Amino acid sequence: MLNNQRGFMLLSVIFLTLVVSFGAQILLNANVKVQQRNSTLYLTAINLANEQFAEIESYAAAGKNPETGFMGNPADLESLNGVKEDSVPVKFEVETSYENPGENLIKAKVKVKWTIGGRENSIVSEKIIRAR
């Protein structure tokens, strides 16, 4: 009778180990998906900032002042960011400010903000652009 109890305990330990390992695997997969989504959002914000800089550079190359003649500001863009269509889109806010550090120079500062899970994230990028 003593042998049967030990065998039952060994099976219980094996079963418990399997259950815990499956639970850990599920949690690890969920964490990886969250990290992938966060990096996708960060890269989308960088792309929005680069698009803004490209548009400012095209205005500067044409001899237009981006502060007064700027059109097509990508503020309030919404993007699905590579997630499924039934997901909630993330709204990005793009703010652009300018300084004139020199005669033919424009210092552009682009801030891209987005909120996910009640937490606000942002990136700030600056670039000096030569005007015509």
Side-chain angles (χ1 to χ4, degrees), residues 24-90:
Q25 186 67 33
I26 290 170
L27 290 175
L28 289 174
N29 283 340
N31 187 30
V32 168
K33 288 179 183 179
V34 168
Q35 288 176 349
Q36 286 175 345
R37 180 175 167 95
N38 286 341
S39 63
T40 300
L41 293 173
Y42 183 77
L43 290 174
T44 301
I46 290 173
N47 286 335
L48 286 173
N50 286 336
E51 286 178 17
Q52 186 79 349
F53 284 131
E55 198 159 341
I56 294 168
E57 286 173 341
S58 69
Y59 269 83
K64 297 179 183 176
N65 184 351
E67 290 184 71
T68 58
F70 194 67
M71 297 171 60
N73 187 348
D76 299 328
L77 288 179
E78 292 185 7
S79 172
L80 290 177
N81 308 307
V83 295
K84 296 179 183 174
E85 289 184 12
D86 58 350
S87 297
V88 177
V90 176

Side-chain angles (χ1 to χ4, degrees), residues 93-111:
E93 295 178 29
V94 180
E95 299 173 3
T96 307
S97 60
Y98 305 95
E99 293 178 21
N100 289 350
E103 187 175 314
N104 289 335
L105 299 176
I106 299 170
K107 183 178 180 182
K109 182 178 180 180
V110 176
K111 182 177 184 178

